[in-house]
Amino acid sequence: MNKRSFSLALASLVVPALLSARVILPTHFTSNMVLQQQSSLLIKGQARPNSTVDLQTSWSRTPASATADSQGRFEMKIATPKASLKPQTLTFSDGEETTLENVLIGEVWLGSGQSNMEMPVEGWGKVLNYEEEIANANYPMIRLLQVKKKTSISPLEQVELNMGGWQECSPQYIPNFSALCYFYALRLWEELKVPIGVIDDDWGGTVAEAWVSAESLEKVTGFESQISKYRELGFNHEAIEKYHAQQAADFESNLRRLDKGFNGATPWTALNVDESGWKSVPVPGIWEDVLGSIDGIVWYRLVVDLPKDWAGKELTVDLGVTDDQDVTFWNGEEVGRTTSMNEQSTYKVPAKLVKEGRNVIAVRVMDTGGNGGLTTADKNRFSLKQGSKTIELAGQKWLAQAGVSLEKMPPTPLPLNNPNHPTVLFNAMIHPLVSFPVRGIIWYQGCSNVGRDKQYEPLFQTLIHDWRRQFGNPQMPFYFVQLANYLTPRDLQPDSPWALLRESQAKALCLPNTGMAVNIDLGDARDIHPKTKRELGRRLAAVALHNTYGKTKTAFTAPVYKNFVVKDSEVHVYFSLPEGSEPLVQESNLPGFIIQGPDLKWHVAEARTVGEAEVVVSSPEVRFPIAVRYGWADNPTCNLRTQGNFHVAPFRTDY
């Protein structure tokens, strides 16, 4: 080949590559998006190396420009105008155009947390009247962005998305979108009449520490050594994975050594086990109602009688999703296991293990915090299947026995892909968005931190500080939901771990520009995911409408506990009426109060409202009262509220 021919051949390869080059934007920059009004928008992208990148917006006659570096990276800042219902375009060019269409300017909110934020309108959630809600969800001025679940040990630059990016709110996209995010956005749209963008960025069953950056989490008591170790290893994924593999092996060895299910004369996987001390437990359900609060290993056993025509044939055992992990045995042989939350516990049972008559399923369930058990709400998931034949496992006589408690053991090591690993959700699902202006954050999380209330108080407040710093907005509104009532209803439960976690949440109100939606009346004893998300969205949006948008006539809170005075045998509890609150509804027989005497014993109390902001509490069993608590149980009965159905948050006078 001569020199001229070689040059032409090279040009035929290079020129098309240059001509086909076009600006690549962050994944969350798509058509149909909403940009926060009157903000400074930083755009980081990729273009041809050393090229000039121009941006022409439909709202400005003056284009913005930036120069790409030798790697093709560029940054530019633009100012966004006031909110408008008029669709806008953004056209980027480095010689070839990339255009984002149908872009709106309005208000953007990011919703995050665990499953009660994730809970979809339909999908696995099915909120109240979900079919009607979906049919009516035609709101083109509301835009939806859903972040895909992902973990990372180090901060990422891009998020992965579902639904192909930003989409207009419609019956097509709303069924699997966060119900709380949707109802919150809908209420803002109804009141503000400006475009609303809402980002669904959450992961069910996750702990707060997974959502905090490493540099901030390292300052929280209990996490210093772990983050310090990661720093020592240079946040290198392979090095950290190797370190955790060794930690996990050592932990499992110690756990197995202590596990009664393995260290007795007969392992609890066996066909014949003395079950005289075992207790009947609900499946699906949690073990706490029967066995008490146990973080550790609990064994489940179920005897199933199979007909003759099932013998010697492979079958499938489906146990739904276990909280947190399980190892499942059939007639003494392991048939499958999960290694993290949200994995499906569905396993094939080899034909050689399937016998006519008596067969035994043994499930070793590991729970590292909060509630544990075989918990999937869909009872149809608990089954045995062989071809077209099915045997239901839900509601049968499952027995359970504790194997070992984690109380005196070191923290459970988690694999790096586990969403409860410290920092991994912040790195993968929040960090890539921190340069994208949002008006504020809405947050619903805490169930997975129940039992660690003392740690949660500084952890949650650190998370709020951290996100404000990361987003470059020290005053960014941060509004959150207090945990709903859940588990067995009780009138007297002064040691409630759920009440303590709610108190730790409420203490974050000491930070400026925070607000809390009280949820103590909307829960469900048997379902940790209440269906009442429209009402909760209304309450949460009321906080924003009053505090962020200046709708001062919009009430958003009930009176707040202030102090108490003992008069004879009665306790007079006084409440403040902050701006945005309403007077208490007058009630002569208020449930939810307990009272303590000098013997430090608690008793269910009688209570009545007096005037707009006072409750009188007493008990014939307590002559000299010293303290009162309200709503202090996992699932209390609470009715202290305002005319607008805003409920008084649980409180105690003895703290």
Side-chain angles (χ1 to χ4, degrees):
M1 181 182 291
N2 61 36
K3 185 175 181 180
R4 183 173 182 274
S5 298
F6 177 79
S7 297
L8 289 174
L10 183 62
S12 69
L13 295 174
V14 174
V15 173
L18 292 175
L19 291 176
S20 64
R22 56 190 305 178
V23 174
I24 300 174
L25 298 168
T27 52
H28 56 285
F29 277 73
T30 73
S31 293
N32 306 314
M33 70 178 174
V34 179
L35 297 177
Q36 178 60 43
Q37 66 170 319
Q38 297 180 297
S39 66
S40 178
L41 178 65
L42 175 64
I43 305 169
K44 299 180 181 181
Q46 195 82 17
R48 290 185 302 165
N50 304 311
S51 65
T52 298
V53 182
D54 294 317
L55 167 59
Q56 182 65 62
T57 66
S58 56
W59 65 80
S60 174
R61 295 181 180 179
T62 306
S65 64
T67 301
D69 65 16
S70 61
Q71 301 299 313
R73 297 174 299 227
F74 74 89
E75 292 185 7
M76 64 171 67
K77 276 188 178 182
I78 62 171
T80 59
K82 289 184 178 180
S84 169
L85 302 182
K86 178 183 177 182
Q88 309 288 345
T89 60
L90 290 82
T91 300
F92 297 83
S93 176
D94 65 348
E96 186 178 358
E97 292 185 348
T98 297
T99 300
L100 304 183
E101 299 176 327
N102 195 25
V103 174
L104 296 176
I105 311 298
E107 292 293 293
V108 182
W109 288 82
L110 186 149
S112 190
Q114 59 181 111
S115 55
N116 270 299
M117 182 63 79
E118 176 189 336
M119 182 178 175
V121 176
E122 187 180 14
W124 59 264
K126 294 182 176 58
V127 301
L128 290 178
N129 306 313
Y130 70 91
E131 293 171 322
E132 181 182 352
E133 297 288 7
I134 292 169
N136 293 334
N138 281 298
Y139 296 98
M141 292 297 109
I142 297 176
R143 303 294 171 84
L144 315 173
L145 182 70
Q146 189 175 67
V147 175
K148 190 174 182 178
K149 295 176 175 60
K150 187 178 177 65
T151 64
S152 177
I153 198 62
S154 57
L156 302 183
E157 294 304 316
Q158 301 282 9
V159 288
E160 295 183 17
L161 301 174
N162 297 324
M163 308 193 312
W166 286 91
Q167 300 294 345
E168 292 185 1
C169 177
S170 69
Q172 177 183 355
Y173 292 107
I174 208 64
N176 291 304
F177 196 79
S178 161
L180 184 54
C181 282
Y182 166 58
F183 289 126
Y184 179 83
L186 178 58
R187 189 73 191 102
L188 294 188
W189 160 249
E190 290 170 344
E191 286 292 318
L192 302 177
K193 296 301 180 186
V194 300
I196 305 295
V198 62
I199 303 173
D200 175 3
D201 191 347
D202 36 54
W203 195 324
T206 55
V207 290
E209 56 265 31
W211 296 97
V212 184
S213 71
E215 56 266 38
S216 292
L217 189 60
E218 194 171 13
K219 298 178 176 66
V220 180
T221 299
F223 299 103
E224 312 97 323
S225 60
Q226 188 171 6
I227 302 302
S228 177
K229 183 65 177 180
Y230 294 169
R231 195 176 301 284
E232 177 187 325
L233 296 172
F235 290 97
N236 178 274
H237 187 278
E238 290 184 3
I240 294 175
E241 195 168 54
K242 183 178 180 180
Y243 165 74
H244 269 280
Q246 185 59 55
Q247 294 286 103
D250 293 344
F251 182 90
E252 179 59 30
S253 176
N254 289 331
L255 198 64
R256 188 181 179 95
R257 179 175 54 82
L258 297 171
D259 188 350
K260 296 176 184 176
F262 285 130
N263 63 22
T266 303
W268 292 352
T269 60
L271 278 168
N272 298 303
V273 171
D274 180 7
E275 298 174 344
S276 57
W278 293 57
K279 294 184 179 180
S280 179
V281 288
V283 171
I286 61 171
W287 66 55
E288 275 73 9
D289 288 344
V290 177
L291 304 178
S293 181
I294 299 173
D295 292 336
I297 287 175
V298 168
W299 286 80
Y300 284 71
R301 284 176 59 88
L302 176 67
V303 174
V304 288
D305 287 313
L306 297 183
K308 183 177 181 180
D309 60 350
W310 282 51
K313 297 177 182 177
E314 182 184 82
L315 58 79
T316 300
V317 55
D318 186 347
L319 301 177
V321 176
T322 307
D323 189 355
D324 295 341
Q325 309 161 27
D326 74 275
V327 183
T328 297
F329 301 83
W330 183 279
N331 290 339
E333 298 290 333
E334 181 180 334
V335 295
R337 64 173 61 204
T338 58
T339 57
S340 64
M341 292 185 68
N342 300 314
E343 287 187 59
Q344 191 67 43
S345 300
T346 305
Y347 311 118
K348 297 292 184 182
V349 179
K352 66 179 182 179
L353 297 179
V354 182
K355 303 176 182 179
E356 177 186 357
R358 188 175 187 271
N359 292 257
V360 174
I361 304 171
V363 188
R364 183 184 189 240
V365 179
M366 170 72 156
D367 177 59
T368 59
N371 298 311
L374 305 176
T375 58
T376 301
D378 184 358
K379 294 182 180 180
N380 295 324
R381 297 309 303 264
F382 291 92
S383 63
L384 299 178
K385 291 185 179 179
Q386 192 181 89
S388 60
K389 303 171 185 176
T390 300
I391 295 176
E392 302 298 333
L393 300 180
Q396 295 208 34
K397 190 179 179 182
W398 287 85
L399 300 177
Q401 178 77 289
V404 60
S405 171
L406 298 179
E407 186 176 358
K408 295 183 180 180
M409 294 194 67
T412 309
L414 301 173
L416 292 189
N417 64 348
N418 189 299
N420 282 323
H421 206 286
T423 80
V424 295
L425 300 186
F426 171 83
N427 293 333
M429 299 174 66
I430 299 299
H431 182 267
L433 299 174
V434 297
S435 62
F436 189 73
V438 298
R439 175 62 72 189
I441 307 296
I442 55 174
W443 175 264
Y444 192 163
Q445 189 277 334
C447 300
S448 291
N449 287 87
V450 168
R452 293 192 285 140
D453 54 282
K454 287 183 173 60
Q455 185 184 63
Y456 193 83
E457 180 182 342
L459 175 61
F460 184 35
Q461 293 180 38
T462 296
L463 184 149
I464 297 172
H465 283 297
D466 184 40
W467 285 26
R468 286 173 169 174
R469 180 177 62 86
Q470 298 284 347
F471 278 88
N473 185 355
Q475 300 301 315
M476 181 172 66
F478 195 107
Y479 302 139
F480 57 93
V481 179
Q482 193 177 45
L483 293 185
N485 49 311
Y486 177 52
L487 301 175
T488 302
R490 299 183 189 179
D491 294 327
L492 193 66
Q493 192 187 3
D495 58 348
S496 163
W498 283 71
L500 288 168
L501 200 285
R502 293 186 192 109
E503 182 178 63
S504 293
Q505 290 178 307
K507 287 180 179 179
L509 293 173
C510 67
L511 301 178
N513 291 332
T514 56
M516 184 176 76
V518 176
N519 197 23
I520 196 63
D521 62 309
L522 297 178
D524 185 324
R526 292 170 295 180
D527 191 348
I528 201 170
H529 306 114
K531 310 295 186 184
T532 48
K533 291 298 186 286
R534 174 179 273 272
E535 169 61 11
L536 184 57
R538 178 192 75 87
R539 294 183 190 180
L540 195 58
V543 181
L545 289 169
H546 187 280
N547 289 347
T548 300
Y549 297 110
K551 302 288 184 179
T552 55
K553 293 184 179 179
T554 300
F556 74 95
T557 183
V560 177
Y561 166 69
K562 182 172 62 175
N563 58 15
F564 73 105
V565 174
V566 177
K567 298 180 180 179
D568 297 325
S569 61
E570 295 182 329
V571 179
H572 292 249
V573 182
Y574 300 101
F575 300 83
S576 61
L577 284 162
E579 182 183 344
S581 65
E582 305 171 313
L584 295 171
V585 170
Q586 298 301 294
E587 295 282 355
S588 58
N589 185 21
L590 281 169
F593 283 89
I594 60 176
I595 193 168
Q596 186 184 51
D599 58 0
L600 303 184
K601 294 180 180 179
W602 290 94
H603 302 269
V604 175
E606 300 170 356
R608 67 184 189 279
T609 50
V610 176
E612 296 185 341
E614 181 184 350
V615 173
V616 178
V617 186
S618 63
S619 168
E621 299 176 85
V622 180
R623 185 177 179 184
F624 305 113
I626 63 171
V628 160
R629 294 182 181 181
Y630 171 70
W632 206 266
D634 297 344
N635 188 358
T637 301
C638 294
N639 200 33
L640 187 57
R641 69 195 192 286
T642 71
Q643 196 66 44
N645 203 30
F646 295 103
H647 282 246
V648 170
F651 65 89
R652 54 176 171 169
T653 67
D654 56 313
Y655 183 79

